[in-house]
Amino acid sequence: MKAFVRDTLLRQRARLHELDALLSAPDVVDDIDRFRSLSREHAEASSVVEVFDRYLQREADLTTARDLLADPDMADMAQEEIATAETDLARLDSELQQLLLPRDPDDERNAFLEIRAGTGGDESALFAGDLARLYTRYAERQRWQVDVVSESPSELGGYKEVVLRIAGPGAYGRLRFESGGHRVQRVPATETQGRIHTSAATVAVMPEPDEAQAIQLNPSELRIDTFRASGAGGQHINKTDSAVRVTHLPTGITAECQDGRSQHSNKAKALQVLTARLQEKERSERAAAEAATRKGLIGSGDRSDRIRTYNFPQGRLTDHRINLTLYKLQQVMDGDLDEVVHALQVVRGAELLAELEQRNAA
């Protein structure tokens, strides 16, 4: 275990004892807000210290087993215990490092996932449709709910643009690193010479805003337009101007919804997406400012970043940020994204741990 990790855990243990005393103090018990805050901190510290105590116990077991190696009658048993203890310590060390990483409160939120066709014409729109299917299949595997908020279908299939709402625990945290430019290399169905074409689409993933903490929109800065929905939706959706587009005049950022049957529900969803886009704009600007002094391996998630290539002739997926290459492209396109998501989270965890170590050393 790294020295700074051990020091941090020892401080967590000392803090837990402080919290035990504070939570029984009369002035804290009488202050409900402070009591709740300290109770949450106590619960988080307890979960970390519990794992740390298991680590220390296995560390003591390892020391005892090594001492027993000198006894010929106990050597075989001691060797087995050493191997088991070393495996347990490596696992617990990794778990503790993950527990110490700073948590983004947005990670547990639902997500809005926006896909736009880029360069490549009709083939780009088809690829945007393939990406929408990929993320829908992945969400189904996670038992998340997927709703189409708005869509602009292409004439030959796929989408010029589509916005999905993905609802489920940890949706944003698992999908956040999908933001950026996605490139596809394949032979289009309309290609008669068998030539490989390259086209692109962009993905933006935004956490669904918390209503209590969301940006407060000024009604005077909004323009609200209604129109007839262009997507699928049956006879009703083609007969009424139920779709809603909201424009934030100061920034020019727009959002629309044509999923619901009522203008009221579509307006509410469009305002949610608009709020998410405005918050994402602020987040991107902060990330860009940080990137000026420190560039993380994962990148900023800006759409201009080319993050991944899907090469169909070779059955290859390459994530350029972490040099990950998988030859299981069809499985990924069918929603098997776990290996990619896990690899990105591991790298991000290593980045955060390195930053934590630097702060402790300063």
Side-chain angles (χ1 to χ4, degrees):
M1 177 180 285
K2 293 181 178 181
F4 93 92
V5 173
R6 187 181 293 270
D7 289 344
T8 303
L9 290 166
L10 289 171
R11 287 198 297 272
Q12 283 266 39
R13 182 192 253 183
R15 176 59 177 166
L16 184 61
H17 291 314
E18 288 179 16
L19 291 167
D20 285 334
L22 284 169
L23 286 170
S24 60
D27 59 325
V28 172
V29 173
D30 292 339
D31 186 340
I32 189 64
D33 290 335
R34 191 178 178 206
F35 183 80
R36 283 176 179 165
S37 176
L38 291 174
S39 294
R40 281 195 298 270
E41 186 183 352
H42 186 278
E44 291 174 4
S46 294
S47 64
V48 175
V49 171
E50 181 185 344
V51 179
F52 184 42
D53 285 342
R54 292 208 306 269
Y55 180 92
L56 293 176
Q57 181 58 57
R58 292 306 281 151
E59 207 171 42
D61 295 341
L62 179 60
T63 300
T64 302
R66 284 173 174 164
D67 291 340
L68 289 174
L69 281 174
D71 184 342
D73 295 332
M74 303 293 289
D76 289 344
M77 186 179 72
Q79 199 63 58
E80 288 182 14
E81 175 61 12
I82 288 170
T84 302
E86 287 176 341
T87 300
D88 289 345
L89 285 170
R91 176 180 55 78
L92 290 167
D93 187 11
S94 177
E95 185 177 344
L96 285 165
Q97 289 185 31
Q98 290 297 315
L99 287 170
L100 288 180
L101 294 179
R103 297 180 184 178
D104 188 333
D106 287 338
D107 279 353
E108 289 303 309
R109 296 197 185 288
N110 302 331
F112 288 116
L113 193 147
E114 173 189 297
I115 305 168
R116 287 186 184 176
T119 55
D122 292 331
E123 174 62 15
S124 175
L126 290 170
F127 179 50
D130 292 338
L131 288 175
R133 177 176 173 273
L134 184 166
Y135 294 123
T136 299
R137 291 271 178 103
Y138 177 67
E140 289 170 353
R141 288 169 180 249
Q142 308 303 313
R143 302 187 178 217
W144 296 336
Q145 180 180 340
V146 180
D147 296 307
V148 177
V149 176
S150 68
E151 59 181 349
S152 177
S154 173
E155 291 178 5
L156 296 182
Y159 298 103
K160 297 174 186 174
E161 179 181 347
V162 60
V163 178
L164 307 176
R165 178 181 180 267
I166 300 180
Y172 176 71
R174 292 183 69 81
L175 290 169
R176 63 186 301 170
F177 299 122
E178 294 303 300
S179 290
H182 295 242
R183 182 177 69 170
V184 63
Q185 296 171 326
R186 63 184 173 188
V187 179
T190 55
E191 170 57 57
T192 57
Q193 303 296 319
R195 291 172 297 188
I196 296 172
H197 288 226
T198 298
S199 56
T202 59
V203 174
V205 183
M206 303 162 287
E208 184 176 67
D210 179 351
E211 291 184 9
Q213 300 174 353
I215 295 172
Q216 297 302 310
L217 298 174
N218 184 343
S220 67
E221 296 179 341
L222 302 177
R223 187 180 73 235
I224 299 174
D225 301 307
T226 59
F227 60 99
R228 193 158 298 177
S230 58
Q235 293 181 338
H236 171 87
I237 208 163
N238 292 322
K239 289 180 179 178
T240 63
D241 291 340
S242 60
V244 175
R245 181 184 297 110
V246 183
T247 303
H248 184 244
L249 298 174
T251 61
I253 294 175
T254 65
E256 63 183 52
C257 181
Q258 52 185 280
D259 179 52
R261 286 176 173 264
S262 84
Q263 197 176 103
H264 179 75
S265 67
N266 281 337
K267 178 183 174 183
K269 288 182 182 178
L271 286 170
Q272 266 198 318
V273 175
L274 179 64
T275 302
R277 285 180 175 164
L278 288 169
Q279 290 188 169
E280 187 60 25
K281 181 175 180 290
E282 287 188 0
R283 181 195 294 264
S284 297
E285 288 169 353
R286 286 197 305 271
E290 291 172 6
T293 55
R294 177 190 55 79
K295 177 67 173 174
L297 185 60
I298 296 296
S300 65
D302 190 278
R303 291 184 209 226
S304 61
D305 291 342
R306 192 192 73 190
I307 65 167
R308 193 174 299 152
T309 295
Y310 304 73
N311 186 302
F312 277 79
Q314 296 178 14
R316 169 174 58 83
L317 175 142
T318 300
D319 195 293
H320 305 291
R321 298 165 294 179
I322 57 175
N323 296 319
L324 173 71
T325 296
L326 301 175
Y327 287 90
K328 47 182 282 187
L329 182 55
Q330 194 52 58
Q331 294 97 307
V332 171
M333 299 308 293
D334 285 334
D336 185 5
L337 201 60
D338 279 324
E339 192 171 350
V340 180
V341 169
H342 178 69
L344 289 163
Q345 289 181 324
V346 167
V347 171
R348 181 56 178 157
E351 286 183 351
L352 290 172
L353 197 64
E355 291 173 14
L356 195 63
E357 188 171 7
Q358 282 183 343
R359 285 202 296 271
N360 275 268

